[in-house]
Amino acid sequence: MKYEIGDKILLLHSKEEGTVVDIINADMVMVEIGKVTFPVYLDQIDFPYFHRFTTTPKNGNPPARKSGFDIKPEKKQDTFRMDKGVFLSVLPVFRVEGYEENVQQLKFHLANETNTAWKFHFQVYLKNQLELEMKNEIQPFANFYLSDLPFEALNDSPRIEFTFFPKEPDPKLAPSFQKTWKMKTKQIFQQLSDLQARRNATLSYLLFEKFPLKPEKSANDFDTTSIGKFSAGNTTTPTNSLPEVPLTPKYELDLHIEVLTPDWKGMKNIEILAIQLNEFVRYLELAISHHQHNMFVIHGVGKGRLKDEIHKILKDTPEVDRFVNEYHPRYGFGATEIFFK
């Protein structure tokens, strides 16, 4: 692998510099630019050093510094990010078989390109049966991992449904907003072929650009007639259908699935892991915002998948000073203690 986690990189098409935060496979890495994380192909990036050297102005020797004059500090430029909307990002994971690359699975992320936080209810249906359900929230200009879907599941007529709610009450906005997507195998194949031809990493679907305003009267005009496209509608679903986000941090966070949800039996391992990681990230951010000194995360021993994913997140969190997973008289080896800066 040409790149390692922590390497500085340059996006070739935009000349933006970022950092490698994860290795996806032999052809792709996950990069972070600013506060946005997204996957890219290796041929879309390069190390930034040659670009820096070749773009440095060569005007000869700099003028001699005059006595009594100091270099003026560089003015800080405020970055302004415009609202673009909320998107569903689909990352295909390819597997090489002989001389061909076949899609193994699809990874779904929610991308919030607005300056507003939203609560959401995410559901995946296969053969009209509920396969996965998640309730959580996404912060402004942030990405949120949702779930994986095996590529062969496209034969089960998958349907994805979202319901969005304003995190903070706003009398001008509708109480909720729904989106649904019925995935058609033929259309997905065509989109993935176009994706490979363009050498892009992900498919992106606009969920909403502007959250709808509150209607003058109650209405339910949700449109589900478009096949393979997103359709929108307003509902009168009350915002209290989502559980309230805890307002107090935890110094001991138990991530055993039976503690997080009573309906865990029958869930697939990837569903359980997604719920556990999203709960961990929620309380990690809460601990940072409350300036906690430390926190214990109980992940158990098992096969170590949850522990490894937690440690990856901690390594990429600048507010974390250090973390240890050693024997504890109360938790054994099933917990990690986090120390914050």
Side-chain angles (χ1 to χ4, degrees):
M1 172 59 69
K2 179 180 178 181
Y3 301 95
E4 297 180 354
I5 295 177
D7 285 349
K8 299 296 182 182
I9 57 90
L10 177 77
L11 276 182
L12 297 179
H13 71 279
S14 65
K15 305 305 179 185
E16 296 177 284
E17 292 189 18
T19 305
V20 176
V21 297
D22 195 9
I23 306 297
I24 298 177
N25 54 39
D27 300 316
M28 299 181 67
V29 296
M30 191 74 72
V31 301
E32 181 179 87
I33 296 180
K35 294 185 178 180
V36 179
T37 304
F38 54 93
V40 296
Y41 283 98
L42 297 185
D43 60 2
Q44 295 177 330
I45 60 176
D46 199 355
F47 289 109
Y49 313 112
F50 178 76
H51 175 73
R52 294 176 184 173
F53 176 78
T54 55
T55 56
T56 302
K58 301 178 181 180
N59 297 324
N61 296 326
R65 184 178 177 184
K66 295 181 181 180
S67 177
F69 289 88
D70 293 327
I71 299 176
K72 294 182 180 180
E74 184 179 353
K75 294 183 179 180
K76 295 183 178 180
Q77 296 182 352
D78 296 331
T79 57
F80 177 74
R81 304 182 67 175
M82 296 185 61
D83 287 7
K84 298 180 180 178
V86 177
F87 299 83
L88 176 63
S89 177
V90 183
L91 169 66
V93 178
F94 293 90
R95 176 179 56 196
V96 178
E97 297 178 348
Y99 295 98
E100 296 182 352
E101 279 188 337
N102 297 319
V103 180
Q104 183 179 10
Q105 61 183 358
L106 302 174
K107 289 181 173 290
F108 294 93
H109 290 77
L110 190 63
N112 182 12
E113 292 294 325
T114 73
N115 60 7
T116 305
W118 308 101
K119 294 181 180 181
F120 66 87
H121 185 186
F122 172 70
Q123 295 173 300
V124 178
Y125 289 85
L126 298 179
K127 295 182 178 179
N128 291 324
Q129 298 294 323
L130 182 62
E131 179 75 11
L132 173 64
E133 185 175 25
M134 179 189 302
K135 297 178 181 179
N136 217 303
E137 66 179 51
I138 185 170
Q139 299 302 314
F141 296 104
N143 290 275
F144 191 100
Y145 166 71
L146 295 170
S147 70
D148 292 351
L149 184 68
F151 192 67
E152 57 267 22
L154 291 179
N155 297 322
D156 298 330
S157 302
R159 185 175 83 250
I160 294 177
E161 293 189 358
F162 282 97
T163 305
F164 291 95
F165 309 82
K167 181 183 177 183
E168 301 297 336
D170 189 334
K172 297 181 180 180
L173 298 180
S176 66
F177 184 70
Q178 287 186 331
K179 282 283 189 178
T180 190
W181 181 31
K182 294 181 180 180
M183 302 174 64
K184 303 295 288 185
T185 305
K186 183 177 180 181
Q187 292 176 344
I188 294 296
F189 267 114
Q190 183 61 49
Q191 291 169 346
L192 290 176
S193 298
D194 295 342
L195 188 74
Q196 286 184 292
R198 298 193 306 267
R199 301 297 293 172
N200 290 339
T202 61
L203 299 172
S204 185
Y205 302 93
L206 177 64
L207 297 174
F208 67 84
E209 184 176 3
K210 298 289 185 181
F211 198 86
L213 299 177
K214 186 176 182 180
E216 296 181 359
K217 61 181 180 179
S218 297
N220 187 356
D221 54 358
F222 183 49
D223 178 16
T224 57
T225 59
S226 295
I227 305 299
K229 297 182 179 180
F230 286 99
S231 53
N234 299 328
T235 72
T236 56
T237 306
T239 56
N240 60 10
S241 62
L242 282 178
E244 290 296 326
V245 179
L247 298 179
T248 57
K250 290 184 178 181
Y251 288 84
E252 180 184 272
L253 176 61
D254 192 345
L255 293 179
H256 284 92
I257 190 60
E258 61 269 21
V259 176
L260 302 182
T261 175
D263 303 323
W264 63 274
K265 292 184 179 179
M267 285 186 177
K268 296 181 180 179
N269 291 336
I270 188 64
E271 300 173 33
I272 294 175
L273 182 63
I275 293 174
Q276 292 171 319
L277 289 179
N278 287 326
E279 188 77 357
F280 166 67
V281 171
R282 175 191 295 184
Y283 278 97
L284 177 65
E285 294 176 348
L286 198 60
I288 293 172
S289 65
H290 283 75
H291 304 288
Q292 282 184 216
H293 175 68
N294 69 317
M295 179 173 68
F296 277 98
V297 179
I298 304 172
H299 44 65
V301 182
K303 296 182 180 179
R305 175 71 187 279
L306 176 59
K307 180 192 72 174
D308 292 343
E309 294 295 332
I310 288 174
H311 288 183
K312 288 180 183 178
I313 295 173
L314 293 176
K315 289 178 183 178
D316 296 330
T317 304
E319 293 84 1
V320 173
D321 184 30
R322 59 189 176 91
F323 58 91
V324 293
N325 174 223
E326 55 189 20
Y327 179 80
H328 189 277
R330 183 174 180 182
Y331 313 110
F333 289 98
T336 294
E337 185 174 10
I338 306 168
F339 298 90
F340 299 97
K341 295 180 180 178

